Amino acid sequence: MTAIDDEPTTPDLDAAEGFLRMFHIAHPETGPVGPRLTQVRDEIAETGTYRHTTQELSYGARVALRDSGWCTSGVPWRRLKVRDLRGFRNAAAVAGECVEHLRLATNGGGIRPLVTVFAPDAPDAPGPVIWNEQLVRYACHADGTGDRRYRGFTDTVRGMGWHAPGTPTPFDLLPLVVETAHEGPKLFTIPPDVVHEVCLEHPDLPWFASLGLRWHAVPLITGMRLSIGGVDYPAAPFNTWFVGSEIGTRSLADENACGAARPVAEALGLDTSAERSLWRDRAVVELNRAVLHSFDLAQVTITDHHAESLHRLSWLRSRQRPTGNRPAFRLDPTAARRARAGGPARFSGGPLETTRPHSPGRLAELLRRHAEG
């Protein structure tokens, strides 16, 4: 991924022109590019930025996802649904629509790839940012229970007023943190009933289910920004579906994440006293088998790493080399630190405000009002 600054900038005319020419080549029915270029140059000269048409936005988001490497095999990128919510700048509205995105994407297990685009950065009005790396992530508690990748994030949101509901477990949902220039960082509790989780069992090991392992169904990535023709959209959540090894190997097995490889190995009766016994490798294989088996049993879309490897090789052979003119999803270092450590804030240089997280009912009310409007 290309690192970029975390501050709004004026769109580069070359980037805007390069994208618009690319768009008009792909959509000849829109007519010659010249009048549109003149319009965009005038708009940038007057306001410091320009607004994509709905068709330009959809095309740019689809190409960005296709070329990013995040587009898993089988995703029909040309028909990918793009939700144009560029009018949303307030934290509560952004949070509510992230939850709605998750609901739509889950689709009863038949995962539906989506992109939701919120307000862009403009010279006088920077867009909102989402701190979380993915919408659904699990907390890490003081005793190390949970996902250790998010120990710092958990500590930060706890200091902002979040508390795990009831007795801490390894799979407590972290709150969503949305930050805006006019509101600062705000916490939102994700409604548990919108998070579809798959309880893991093994095709050959009856005892495996007693480990109590589970994982959420949709990898809704929220920490990357979408760049199209020189315009940056700092909050543009997108999802495809999981590759099994992302769950089994990277999230569950890894000692720096959930650390489930050792309990599985011990239950298998393996010698865990030395790495040379390869106990970890054998445990990871069984974890990955359990993930694929359980998702298939629950009829939740997933792919395996062998199929995905073939897809990635094909993608590497055919993909366009990234340039400043091509749409892209990008992750900057500051956003990466926010996703793991819970800071630094984008707009506030001072201590984070302690706040009471918005309840799941508040998000449900926002969604109800939006649907009625």
Side-chain angles (χ1 to χ4, degrees), residues 138-152:
Y138 297 113
C140 177
H141 301 292
D143 62 356
T145 300
D147 192 334
R148 298 174 189 120
R149 293 174 295 184
Y150 302 103
R151 186 190 302 270

Side-chain angles (χ1 to χ4, degrees), residues 52-343:
H52 291 120
T53 67
T54 299
Q55 195 174 9
E56 288 166 356
L57 180 73
S58 295
Y59 174 72
R62 289 166 181 153
V63 169
L65 186 55
R66 181 196 68 185
D67 292 352
S68 68
W70 286 92
C71 199
T72 47
S73 57
V75 171
W77 72 271
R78 292 182 188 276
R79 301 194 306 274
L80 179 74
K81 182 172 176 56
V82 179
R83 303 173 72 227
D84 182 357
L85 299 181
R86 286 176 286 176
F88 288 61
R89 288 186 177 274
N90 290 336
V94 170
E97 288 300 335
C98 284
V99 171
E100 176 67 0
H101 179 135
L102 181 61
R103 186 188 66 79
L104 292 170
T106 302
N107 191 34
I111 308 303
R112 180 185 294 143
L114 299 173
V115 179
T116 296
V117 184
F118 295 111
D121 278 338
D124 60 344
V129 294
I130 300 168
W131 286 20
N132 308 56
E133 187 174 51
Q134 291 190 29
L135 181 66
V136 181
R137 297 278 82 172
Y138 297 113
C140 177
H141 301 292
D143 62 356
T145 300
D147 192 334
R148 298 174 189 120
R149 293 174 295 184
Y150 302 103
R151 186 190 302 270
F153 193 98
T154 304
D155 290 343
T156 297
V157 296
R158 187 179 289 116
M160 294 169 67
W162 176 77
H163 299 285
T167 303
T169 75
F171 299 102
D172 291 325
L173 297 174
L174 282 166
L176 177 64
V177 182
V178 181
E179 183 184 2
T180 65
H182 59 286
E183 298 167 294
K186 298 293 182 183
L187 295 182
F188 299 89
T189 300
I190 299 172
D193 61 354
V194 83
V195 180
H196 185 57
E197 294 179 305
V198 177
C199 296
L200 302 187
E201 55 185 88
H202 195 281
D204 303 321
L205 304 172
W207 51 261
F208 194 97
S210 66
L211 295 174
L213 299 176
R214 63 180 191 260
W215 207 253
H216 59 97
V218 182
L220 177 46
I221 297 168
T222 50
M224 301 180 73
R225 69 171 60 207
L226 172 63
S227 296
I228 303 175
V231 177
D232 280 340
Y233 300 91
F238 66 92
N239 75 280
T240 56
W241 45 71
F242 272 119
V243 179
S245 58
E246 292 179 23
I247 302 172
T249 302
R250 295 177 57 191
S251 297
L252 289 174
D254 196 327
E255 293 289 343
N256 294 316
C258 294
R262 188 175 294 275
V264 170
E266 290 172 348
L268 287 167
L270 303 179
D271 177 12
T272 61
S273 63
E275 296 292 340
R276 287 181 68 87
S277 70
L278 302 186
W279 63 268
R280 199 181 302 274
D281 303 69
R282 294 173 65 184
V284 167
V285 167
E286 301 308 332
L287 276 164
N288 284 324
R289 289 185 67 200
V291 168
L292 293 174
H293 169 76
S294 301
F295 271 64
D296 287 345
L297 197 64
Q299 297 183 314
V300 174
T301 310
I302 196 168
T303 187
D304 64 83
H305 58 283
H306 294 293
E308 197 58 29
S309 295
L310 294 175
H311 167 69
R312 294 298 173 96
L313 285 172
S314 175
W315 172 75
L316 286 168
R317 293 189 191 103
S318 64
R319 76 186 180 107
Q320 296 284 340
R321 296 297 180 232
T323 70
N325 297 341
R326 294 191 68 82
F329 281 99
R330 296 189 171 101
L331 179 67
D332 60 80
T334 306
R337 287 198 298 274
R338 273 196 292 268
R340 294 297 176 94

